[in-house]
Amino acid sequence: MPDDVVTMDKIVSLCKRRGIIFPASEIYGGIANTYDYGHYGVLLKRNVVDAWWQAMIGDRDDIVALDSAIIQHPRTWEASGHLAGFTDPLVDCRTCGQRFRADHLDAEHDVRCPRKPSVLPGQGPDCNLTEAREFNLMFETTIGPVQEAGSTVYLRPETAQGIFLDFKTVLGFARRKPPFGIAQVGKSFRNEITPGNFIFRTLEFEQMEMEYFVPPDDAHRWYLHWLEARMDWYERLGIRGDHLRLRAHEQDELSHYSSATSDVEYLYPIGWQELEGIANRGNFDLTQHAQHSGEKLEYFDQQSGERYVPHVIEPAAGVGRATLALLCDAYDEDQIGGEARTVLKLHPQMAPVKVAVLPLVRKDGQPELAHEVRNLLRRRMQTEYDEGGSIGRRYRRQDEIGTPWCVTIDHQSLEDRTVTVRDRDTLTQDRVAVDELPDVLAGKLAAPWTSPKLAAEA
Ligand code: GAP
C-alpha cells in the first residue's frame, strides 16, 4: 500500500481551520480530551448517524429504536459489573504530579514524562511512581440539592445498559420475538486519562449501539452475521477496504461478559485501531439485571411453550471514531494548475455539503440566478451559496470540506439557463440545464461510489 499523505496533525489542523471540530472551552485554555463540532462537523456526524439508523431500522424490520436516559438507577452499574470492574490501573508520579495508565508505560504506547529529558514515565532521574491503583472510569454525580444527603449516580459509560433495562418494556409493545434488536444512539462518558489522539478517545462521545436478542442456540450464527454486516456498512460509507479489518479478541482480552468479540479496525495515521466492537454477550446482562431487580427478563414463546433468556449480539460503534476514519480516509493533497490543493474525497452521501452554488461575478444578474438555483436544490440536498472571493478560492474552500459538486453560474447561464457542474474528484465541468439540475445531482448522489484514492493506489 503506498504511503498516504494524511497525518493526524493535518486532520487536526484542517478541522480547526474549517471549524469542523475544535477543542472545547478554548477561551479557558481547553479541557482535556474534549472537542466541539462546528457546522460542517455537525453535518458530517449527522450523516454518519443517519447512515447507521438507515442500516439498523431503515433497511430491516427486526430492529426497533430507543432513546434511554443517561442517568439510570445506580444499581444498574452494580448489576452490569461496571462499579466493580470498569477500571484502569493508574500510577501517579510524586515528582511531577502526572497520572499515567500503568499498562501504558511501555515504548509501544509512547506516553512521555512531561519533564526533560523526554523519557518513558518512571525512567527519568526524578521519576517517582506510586504503586498501580484501580481507578473507575465512570463519572459520578449526585441527585438532590445537598451532596451528602443525595444519592450517588453515574453518567452512563455505555448506552447498552439502558437497552437491557428496557428489554421487557420494549418486548411488550414492539410485537417482536427473537431474533430482534433494540438500537440507540447517544452520549456516553468515560473518565479517560490516556492522551486522546484528537477525537479518537474523548471523555464524552456518542455511541451507536444495538443489542440483538436471539435464541441461545443461534447466537454464534448471528455473531457471524453481524461481523459481516458491520464490515459492509463501513465500506458502504466509502472507506477503503484495504484500510479496514476484523480482529478477533484473544481469550485474555475478552470482557467479563463476552464469549467472543471482534473489533472492526481502521488503519488510522496512528496505526490500526478499534472503530467498533462486536460482541457475543451471551445472557450475561439480562441474567444480571433479572437477579438484581427481581424482574423476569426472558422470552416466552407461546407457540412452542419454550421459555428462555435470549442471548445478545452487540455491535457497538463510536460516532467520533467513524467520523475520524472518514476524514482520514478522504484526506488528500494534489496540485491543480501548479497550486497545492487539500481535498476531502468523501463519499458524496457523507459529505457535509453536497453542492455549492457559485455566481462567477457578483453582478449582471448572476447572484439572482444563483439564488434561484440554490432554492431549487436546497430541498433535495444540503446546499451552500458562496459569492466571496475568486472562483478558484471558492472551489478550494469547498474541496477542503469535501463538497462533491460546485455549480457555477456564468455569463452564458443568463442567456440559456445552463450552469456548469464541477466535479471535486475528476475536476470535469459539465454544462447542465437549470431545470434538469436537481435530478442530475440527485442521480449522482445515489450512484455507486468508490474512493478515488483506491484507484490512485492501484
Ligand atoms: N457496550 C459495549 C461498549 O461500550 P466499547 O468497545 O467500550 O464497548 C464501543 O465501546 C465503541 O465506542 C468503541 O469501539 C469506540 O468506537 C467507542 N468508544 C469507546 N470509548 C470511547 C472514547 N473514550 N472516546 C471515543 N469513542 C469511544
Side-chain angles (χ1 to χ4, degrees):
M1 206 184 300
D3 281 348
D4 215 323
V5 292
V6 64
T7 63
M8 204 61 117
D9 285 347
K10 288 180 184 176
I11 295 292
V12 172
S13 122
L14 171 65
C15 284
K16 183 149 194 213
R17 188 164 76 244
R18 299 310 315 275
I20 302 171
I21 303 164
F22 38 85
S25 298
E26 255 202 312
I27 60 167
Y28 290 107
I31 176 163
N33 298 341
T34 307
Y35 291 87
D36 291 343
Y37 286 69
H39 181 69
Y40 299 123
V42 170
L43 294 176
L44 177 60
K45 187 157 71 97
R46 196 181 68 179
N47 292 338
V48 170
V49 173
D50 284 352
W52 189 85
W53 279 122
Q54 180 61 34
M56 290 296 157
I57 61 170
D59 297 346
R60 338 179 31 123
D61 293 323
D62 54 353
I63 299 177
V64 295
L66 179 74
D67 190 351
S68 71
I70 286 174
I71 296 176
Q72 298 282 2
H73 194 287
R75 292 196 61 203
T76 304
W77 312 109
E78 233 173 271
S80 68
H82 283 85
L83 256 183
F86 194 54
T87 54
D88 278 342
L90 297 185
V91 295
D92 292 304
C93 178
R94 297 185 186 92
T95 311
C96 70
Q98 283 279 320
R99 186 164 273 186
F100 306 98
R101 284 239 334 228
D103 53 341
H104 284 187
L105 297 177
D106 49 10
E108 189 196 333
H109 289 90
D110 201 31
V111 176
R112 295 276 149 177
C113 165
R115 295 193 152 199
K116 298 276 177 241
S118 170
V119 289
L120 298 177
Q123 306 207 343
D126 303 325
C127 293
N128 185 357
L129 300 185
T130 61
E131 288 297 306
R133 286 176 301 123
E134 291 298 326
F135 172 83
N136 198 294
L137 294 179
M138 285 196 292
F139 282 102
E140 261 181 50
T141 185
T142 321
I143 294 185
V146 187
Q147 199 168 359
E148 297 75 48
S151 60
T152 301
V153 289
Y154 303 90
L155 303 189
R156 66 181 174 199
E158 61 174 18
T159 60
Q161 295 304 322
I163 296 179
F164 298 126
L165 301 193
D166 286 343
F167 168 77
K168 197 172 166 187
T169 311
V170 174
L171 195 61
F173 65 65
R175 297 192 299 120
R176 299 286 197 291
K177 57 182 277 191
F180 83 102
I182 305 177
Q184 86 165 316
V185 176
K187 278 226 166 150
S188 293
F189 304 81
R190 296 183 191 177
N191 202 349
E192 309 264 10
I193 67 131
T194 325
N197 276 315
F198 193 37
I199 55 167
F200 181 79
R201 182 170 284 109
T202 49
L203 300 185
E204 53 180 275
F205 52 97
E206 267 177 277
Q207 288 189 306
M208 306 181 282
E209 295 199 290
M210 195 274 292
E211 309 302 320
Y212 199 71
F213 300 93
V214 302
D217 291 345
D218 295 347
H220 188 65
R221 185 166 65 80
W222 281 109
Y223 171 65
L224 298 179
H225 166 90
W226 283 107
L227 294 186
E228 195 182 320
R230 296 305 300 149
M231 281 291 280
D232 285 354
W233 184 76
Y234 287 102
E235 292 209 34
R236 286 208 302 279
L237 299 192
I239 296 180
R240 290 165 294 169
D242 60 1
H243 279 60
L244 286 169
R245 74 177 186 195
L246 264 180
R247 188 184 67 80
H249 282 207
E250 304 288 341
Q251 207 60 31
D252 61 355
E253 258 185 287
L254 293 174
S255 314
H256 57 283
Y257 51 75
S258 172
S259 60
T261 299
S262 292
D263 289 342
V264 178
E265 293 189 333
Y266 176 72
L267 184 54
Y268 291 95
I270 50 170
W272 286 103
Q273 298 284 344
E274 175 183 343
L275 256 179
E276 160 161 358
I278 299 151
N280 180 348
R281 296 180 75 121
N283 61 9
F284 175 81
D285 305 273
L286 290 181
T287 307
Q288 285 291 107
H289 288 302
Q291 273 169 11
H292 282 72
S293 67
E295 286 281 343
K296 273 199 177 125
L297 300 179
E298 55 188 24
Y299 176 71
F300 176 62
D301 188 331
Q302 287 183 330
Q303 269 167 358
S304 67
E306 204 191 348
R307 187 181 291 281
Y308 61 86
V309 180
H311 283 213
V312 171
I313 309 302
E314 174 198 67
V319 178
R321 293 213 186 156
T323 304
L324 184 59
L326 279 175
L327 288 167
C328 295
D329 213 65
Y331 184 95
D332 210 356
E333 292 166 357
D334 55 18
Q335 298 259 329
I336 299 184
E339 246 186 70
R341 157 174 103 141
T342 299
V343 52
L344 287 182
K345 293 176 174 167
L346 286 165
H347 189 311
Q349 288 167 16
M350 290 297 117
V353 176
K354 312 302 179 205
V355 53
V357 181
L358 318 171
L360 199 56
V361 291
R362 229 183 295 179
K363 57 181 186 183
D364 302 337
Q366 287 186 21
E368 289 76 7
L369 181 57
H371 279 298
E372 185 192 327
V373 169
R374 200 236 162 144
N375 288 337
L376 208 58
L377 294 174
R378 70 188 323 162
R379 297 241 152 170
R380 304 280 292 269
M381 58 195 74
Q382 190 68 38
T383 310
E384 194 166 280
Y385 175 85
D386 186 6
E387 58 173 32
S390 76
I391 192 72
R393 280 193 52 192
R394 281 181 276 163
Y395 285 153
R396 268 339 83 74
R397 278 206 288 267
Q398 295 300 330
D399 290 340
E400 275 198 336
I401 58 162
T403 306
W405 304 291
C406 287
V407 166
T408 310
I409 281 71
D410 58 14
H411 165 72
Q412 189 183 330
S413 310
L414 294 158
E415 288 170 0
D416 63 5
R417 284 183 68 81
T418 64
V419 293
T420 60
V421 177
R422 172 205 185 250
D423 186 290
R424 175 196 70 200
D425 302 331
T426 60
L427 301 173
T428 51
Q429 304 218 16
D430 297 324
R431 274 213 102 82
V432 176
V434 167
D435 296 342
E436 289 165 17
L437 189 63
D439 284 343
V440 168
L441 290 177
K444 285 177 184 286
L445 193 54
W449 188 88
T450 46
S451 169
K453 285 176 76 178
L454 259 187
E457 279 172 16

